[in-house]
Amino acid sequence: MAWKRIDMTGQRFGALVAVRPARRNATGGYVWHFKCDCGVECEATGSEVRYGRIVSCPTCSEKRKRAAVTTHGLTRHPLYSVWGAMKNRCFNPGTDRYCDYGGRGITVCDRWANSFENFLSDMGDRPTGKHTIERKDTNGNYEPNNCVWATRSEQANNKRNNRQITIDGVTKTLAQWAEVSGVTESGIRGRLKRGVCGAALLAPNTRASR
């Protein structure tokens, strides 16, 4: 089966930058020529790098394997999958969430992309299992000065499309008003659609008048 070639020229995948397609392989896919950050040039299939199976040249890959052995199994660390998912969102066009991350130009800094140990050292363990990695600037990259551990509600307040509502001169996000009032987000949203405004948005009675 012949595969349609995906143009990856100039795109970064971990420590590799795609230079040019080299040839087609036996299955009809494409082998690409890459340049690693260390300066070494190598070849790999496009699918292997897009899905994160190869993220550097063989020399660097071997170094990482040796480092993993000397760090006593960090691949089993609870945050290793978080680190992998973060890179997947930014470097893998085949993932569902790529359009919201890598597709928008969001990337992972080299310090983190090439080392889980650096990521763990900079971020530390998450406070609880409910905390996930959050970018303070949602248009910024995954890097030490832009990332924190945050709960779901804290992340909701940082969404690009989050609605700001002003009541009695105080402005909060919809999620924040829901948290302080006890009225659900869907409840407040429904009242807004019905034309309710001001303090009535937060009234305990779900049948608040207009």
Side-chain angles (χ1 to χ4, degrees):
M1 175 180 176
W3 298 92
K4 181 179 179 181
R5 193 181 84 195
I6 298 175
D7 187 6
M8 304 189 303
T9 307
Q11 293 186 35
R12 173 175 289 278
F13 301 88
L16 298 175
V17 175
V19 178
R20 62 181 179 277
R23 62 184 183 279
R24 299 181 74 168
N25 60 22
T27 62
Y30 284 88
V31 174
W32 277 73
H33 189 83
F34 295 92
K35 185 170 183 178
C36 184
D37 286 344
C38 70
V40 172
E41 299 185 356
C42 62
E43 291 184 351
T45 63
S47 60
E48 285 178 314
V49 295
R50 287 197 301 274
Y51 286 95
R53 290 192 286 270
I54 294 178
V55 295
S56 64
C57 70
T59 301
C60 290
S61 177
E62 186 60 33
K63 288 180 180 178
R64 284 200 313 278
K65 289 179 182 178
R66 288 199 297 269
V69 171
T70 60
T71 53
H72 307 290
L74 281 181
T75 54
R76 296 182 180 179
H77 193 283
L79 295 184
Y80 193 84
S81 61
V82 174
W83 177 69
M86 171 186 70
K87 295 198 298 178
N88 208 32
R89 292 192 293 271
C90 293
F91 299 139
N92 181 7
T95 189
D96 291 340
R97 306 193 67 188
Y98 178 80
C99 62
D100 291 324
Y101 292 87
R104 290 202 301 122
I106 305 301
T107 189
V108 181
C109 69
D110 291 342
R111 174 175 168 80
W112 286 1
N114 300 323
S115 171
F116 171 67
E117 287 180 276
N118 287 343
F119 171 75
L120 181 60
S121 174
D122 293 336
M123 289 297 297
D125 287 320
R126 52 185 170 184
T128 71
K130 294 182 179 180
H131 283 73
T132 56
I133 191 168
E134 166 79 342
R135 286 169 297 121
K136 292 182 285 188
D137 175 3
T138 56
N139 292 313
N141 297 323
Y142 284 101
E143 53 191 356
N145 63 357
N146 192 42
C147 291
V148 294
W149 293 117
T151 61
R152 186 181 297 273
S153 61
E154 289 169 337
Q155 289 189 349
N157 292 330
N158 194 33
K159 287 183 178 178
R160 287 179 292 148
N161 60 352
N162 207 2
R163 184 168 186 175
Q164 301 283 325
I165 301 172
T166 300
I167 299 176
D168 294 337
V170 179
T171 300
K172 295 180 183 291
T173 64
L174 188 150
Q176 288 172 327
W177 281 123
E179 186 173 359
V180 300
S181 69
V183 180
T184 64
E185 290 184 45
S186 59
I188 296 175
R189 200 176 288 112
R191 294 178 185 187
L192 287 168
K193 289 182 179 179
R194 297 198 303 273
V196 177
C197 60
L201 283 170
L202 311 180
N205 184 356
T206 57
R207 297 182 178 275
S209 59
R210 299 190 177 189

